[in-house]
Amino acid sequence: SVLSIGPIPDHIAFIMDGNRRYAKRTQISTGHRVGFSALISVLRYCYEIGVKYVTIYAFSIDNFKRKPEEVQSTMDLMKEKIDELLEEHSIVNKYGIRMNFWGNLNLLNDAVRLSVEKAMRNTSNNTGPVLSVCVAYTSTNEIAHAIEKSCCQKTEMMKRMHANGFENGVVEKNTQTMVTVVDLEMHLFSNDCPDPDIIIRTSGETRLSNFLLWQSSFSHLQNPTPLWPEFSLRHLVWAILSYQRAYPYLQNRSKKML
Ligand SMILES: CC(C)=CCC/C(C)=C/CC/C(C)=C/COP(=O)(O)OP(=O)(O)O
């Protein structure tokens, strides 16, 4: 009821930082398993509050440089948990969540990739909130991928224009073949998703670490000190209140004004 006084963000993105530090501090064997439980609680809070899009940074391309056994155990956990999310009594079924995975999915091993593809396929007709999982992801890779796709599309267009002769003249030829912001946005993984209103990075870190660089121009950044497994409803509410205080300023900004 406190939050309902102000605007509820449509989209919150999380950098779930501090799982290994939590494991070390509490002397448990894996922080990522506890991190996943924290994720389920946070998703529940978000959806109950009315947030329609949640995006999480689950595994960056740089994380593949970690020790092979750590990469393997994170991937195993990822597969196990994605499969669990598709079970009948999961949070995905309860809220009708549509799951997206953003990243270079070719970098995943076959088992994880199959689970990822199944999750996208099985939830594609769901009409509830959207959960986007960034896996084998970096923002610079996403942007490079979008530029490549836009250039291919423009090259195809050029070829067609050559084949048909340049009936509309050179000026139109140039405007039609130039890669624009709109072209690029169409080819980002986030193409059907609004930009995040809030980005929360736990553990007090203040860097974006190659996460949603294109989409974060006007996002409200929050860096609460708890490690990800310690992040609770109280911290989420605080982040949203802080966003609501900043809202009159944020409201007047949009990429279209640039
Ligand atoms: C199916 C699904 C969505 C699973 C997600 C599971 C999960 C919680 C993954 C977190 C992965 C990760 C690299 C977190 C960063 O903490 P860190 O390992 O870098 O810890 P540190 O910051 O203490 O070093």
Side-chain angles (χ1 to χ4, degrees):
S1 68
V2 169
L3 291 179
S4 66
I5 293 167
I8 297 299
D10 280 331
H11 184 179
I12 305 186
F14 294 94
I15 304 179
M16 308 180 289
D17 209 13
N19 296 288
R20 293 183 304 179
R21 275 168 282 168
Y22 181 82
K24 210 166 173 184
R25 189 197 287 170
T26 55
Q27 298 188 329
I28 57 167
S29 59
T30 162
H32 293 134
R33 204 164 274 280
V34 193
F36 182 80
S37 305
L39 170 64
I40 298 299
S41 304
V42 169
L43 289 178
R44 200 165 282 135
Y45 302 144
C46 284
Y47 298 146
E48 292 296 334
I49 287 168
V51 176
K52 298 186 194 77
Y53 298 84
V54 172
T55 300
I56 54 167
Y57 205 1
F59 201 81
S60 88
I61 291 177
D62 296 323
N63 289 152
F64 282 109
K65 295 180 196 144
R66 291 181 174 183
K67 287 192 209 124
E69 57 275 22
E70 189 184 330
V71 173
Q72 187 59 49
S73 71
T74 313
M75 286 295 139
D76 291 347
L77 177 72
M78 201 89 75
K79 183 189 159 24
E80 178 191 321
K81 295 302 177 188
I82 294 168
D83 292 347
E84 252 177 57
L85 285 173
L86 297 181
E87 285 169 9
E88 203 187 328
H89 298 294
S90 72
I91 187 171
V92 167
N93 275 327
K94 179 173 177 204
Y95 290 94
I97 297 172
R98 179 156 61 84
M99 288 180 79
N100 284 328
F101 288 82
W102 298 352
N104 183 353
L105 305 183
N106 292 324
L107 297 176
L108 301 172
N109 66 37
D110 288 350
V112 182
R113 200 177 50 256
L114 286 175
S115 287
V116 160
E117 285 164 1
K118 185 172 170 197
M120 288 198 278
R121 207 173 41 245
N122 287 11
T123 64
S124 62
N125 291 326
N126 287 356
T127 53
V130 175
L131 171 64
S132 302
V133 181
C134 294
V135 65
Y137 173 92
T138 57
S139 188
T140 41
N141 182 264
E142 178 187 24
I143 294 167
H145 174 263
I147 293 172
E148 193 188 332
K149 288 257 179 191
S150 303
C151 290
C152 286
Q153 194 184 42
K154 295 291 167 174
T155 310
E156 280 307 310
M157 200 181 280
M158 278 284 270
K159 278 188 197 154
R160 273 202 306 276
M161 286 169 79
H162 270 287
N164 298 337
F166 294 109
E167 284 159 19
N168 299 326
V170 175
V171 175
E172 193 146 337
K173 178 198 127 193
N174 284 341
T175 50
Q176 284 184 11
T177 54
M178 227 164 62
V179 171
T180 64
V181 168
V182 176
D183 293 319
L184 236 97
E185 290 197 328
M186 222 163 58
H187 292 108
L188 292 172
F189 299 125
S190 57
N191 65 6
D192 61 351
C193 182
D195 288 347
D197 299 299
I198 311 178
I199 297 183
I200 299 177
R201 180 170 188 160
T202 52
S203 87
E205 296 289 349
T206 51
R207 289 163 284 119
L208 279 177
S209 298
N210 220 338
F211 181 55
L212 304 182
L213 300 182
W214 181 282
Q215 298 87 344
S216 58
S217 317
F218 297 107
S219 303
H220 185 68
L221 306 180
Q222 286 284 289
N223 312 89
T225 47
L227 304 175
W228 174 252
E230 299 165 330
F231 186 78
S232 67
L233 177 61
R234 182 165 63 93
H235 305 112
L236 180 67
V237 168
W238 186 255
I240 298 177
L241 285 173
S242 166
Y243 160 79
Q244 291 181 338
R245 271 199 304 273
Y247 187 74
Y249 171 74
L250 295 167
Q251 200 184 17
N252 293 325
R253 321 292 286 163
S254 91
K255 267 196 197 130
K256 289 183 185 64
M257 292 170 67
L258 296 178

